[in-house]
Every structure is written in C-alpha cells, then in structure tokens.
C-alpha cells in the first residue's frame, strides 16, 4: 500500500490549500519551496490518492436565510438495521441538516441543523424528525456563538 502523504512538503501543500483553495499552482509552488511542475504532480497525486477529496466554497448561511444553528441529539426507539437505515436515508435528504454523526452514549445521533429561526426549527422538528416512527426522543441545544470552526 502506498503512503498517501509522502513527506513534510505534502503537509505544507495541504496547509496552504486549507488556508486558500483558490491559490494558483505557481503561488502554491513558491510557498512550499517547489517549482510549479513538481508541485502540480504532488497535488494531482494527493487528489488521486483521495487525500484531497474536493474543493468547495464557504458560503455565509445568512444568504440562505439560515440565521440559527441548533445541535440536536436523537435517540432511536430501537437500534435495528431497518430503523437505522430509515433515519439515515431521511437525514441525507434534508437540507437543514448540515452534519449528522452516529455517536456512542445515551443518544444515537448528533445533528447540526440550521434554520431561519425558532419557528422554522420547530416546523423542521414537527414535520420531519418527529414524523419518523423510529425516533424515540429529540433534545436540542441552540448555538449562541461559534468560538472556533475549522474545516479539514
């Protein structure tokens, strides 16, 4: 099996891309101490190896009208495969859910949900999550302020 990250230069390339994914290859090469051709080869290798899974834009959620973030924990009524599949398929189709994590502990899932406000969040809970027969309970905390947010 080939190593996905070859050395410190690969790490520097990733660090620069995390800071600015729109950087040109020439600028990237200069910042990491390579000439453009070897830098581009390394970049393509990192992409082909799946280290770099894609490039994206970070958009202000308020543009979509989303001004409120909630962290919801969900417990399923039973942890049978059919209920897990039902829940996970539903979650994948809901734009309000930005993240969904299967977790250990007294809850089964943790969701990061965005909405336009409390009324819209209540509608999301009532019309979507609570209608799933597999959901036993939902507990919500509202985000007052984001202290740190880091994407990798």
């Amino acid at each position: 099996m080939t190593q996905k990250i070859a050395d410190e230069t690969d790490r520097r390339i990733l660090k620069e891309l995390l800071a600015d994914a729109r950087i040109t290859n020439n600028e990237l090469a200069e910042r990491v101490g390579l000439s453009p051709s070897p830098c581009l080869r390394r970049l393509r290798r990192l992409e082909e190896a799946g280290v770099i899974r894609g490039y994206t834009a970070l958009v202000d959620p308020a543009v979509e009208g989303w001004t409120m973030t909630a962290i919801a924990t969900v417990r399923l009524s039973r942890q049978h495969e059919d209920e897990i599949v039902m829940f996970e398929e539903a979650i994948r189709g809901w734009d309000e859910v930005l993240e969904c994590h299967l977790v250990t502990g007294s809850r089964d899932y943790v969701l990061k949900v965005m909405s336009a406000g409390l009324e819209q969040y209540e509608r999301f809970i009532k019309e979507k999550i609570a209608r799933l027969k597999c959901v036993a309970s939902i507990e919500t905390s509202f985000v007052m302020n984001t202290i740190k947010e880091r994407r990798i």
Side-chain angles (χ1 to χ4, degrees):
M1 182 174 159
T2 59
Q3 190 175 5
K4 289 186 175 186
I5 298 177
D7 57 19
E8 192 56 37
T9 302
D10 280 357
R11 293 185 196 291
R12 288 197 311 269
I13 289 171
L14 295 174
K15 183 179 179 186
E16 291 297 333
L17 289 173
L18 282 169
D20 180 6
R22 293 185 63 177
I23 190 171
T24 66
N25 182 61
N26 288 343
E27 180 66 23
L28 179 61
E30 185 177 314
R31 289 185 188 181
V32 300
L34 293 172
S35 60
S37 292
C39 183
L40 187 58
R41 279 194 300 274
R42 282 177 176 259
L43 184 60
R44 296 291 181 245
R45 183 182 47 75
L46 290 168
E47 291 170 346
E48 289 168 7
V51 174
I52 297 172
R53 297 186 301 181
Y55 301 88
T56 188
L58 298 176
V59 178
D60 182 356
V63 170
E64 293 289 322
W66 293 345
T67 56
M68 189 178 80
T69 305
I71 305 299
T73 58
V74 176
R75 188 170 53 82
L76 300 182
S77 52
R78 299 175 305 143
Q79 292 182 336
H80 290 180
E81 185 176 351
D82 60 329
E83 291 191 357
I84 291 170
V85 168
M86 176 194 305
F87 181 78
E88 291 180 2
E89 284 180 355
I91 289 296
R92 285 186 186 99
W94 296 335
D95 291 338
E96 300 93 337
V97 179
L98 301 184
E99 297 177 21
C100 176
H101 306 276
L102 177 64
V103 297
T104 62
S106 62
R107 300 295 176 161
D108 297 310
Y109 293 92
V110 174
L111 312 177
K112 180 178 180 182
V113 180
M114 292 204 73
S115 70
L118 190 57
E119 189 175 304
Q120 288 74 18
Y121 181 76
E122 179 183 8
R123 188 176 312 118
F124 167 74
I125 293 295
K126 287 180 177 178
E127 294 177 3
K128 293 184 178 177
I129 292 185
R131 288 190 179 175
L132 294 174
K133 295 185 185 334
C134 60
V135 172
S137 66
I138 309 156
E139 188 175 307
T140 301
S141 296
F142 294 102
V143 175
M144 296 188 317
N145 191 11
T146 299
I147 309 307
K148 179 179 179 180
E149 185 174 54
R150 179 175 179 243
R151 292 282 184 197
I152 57 168

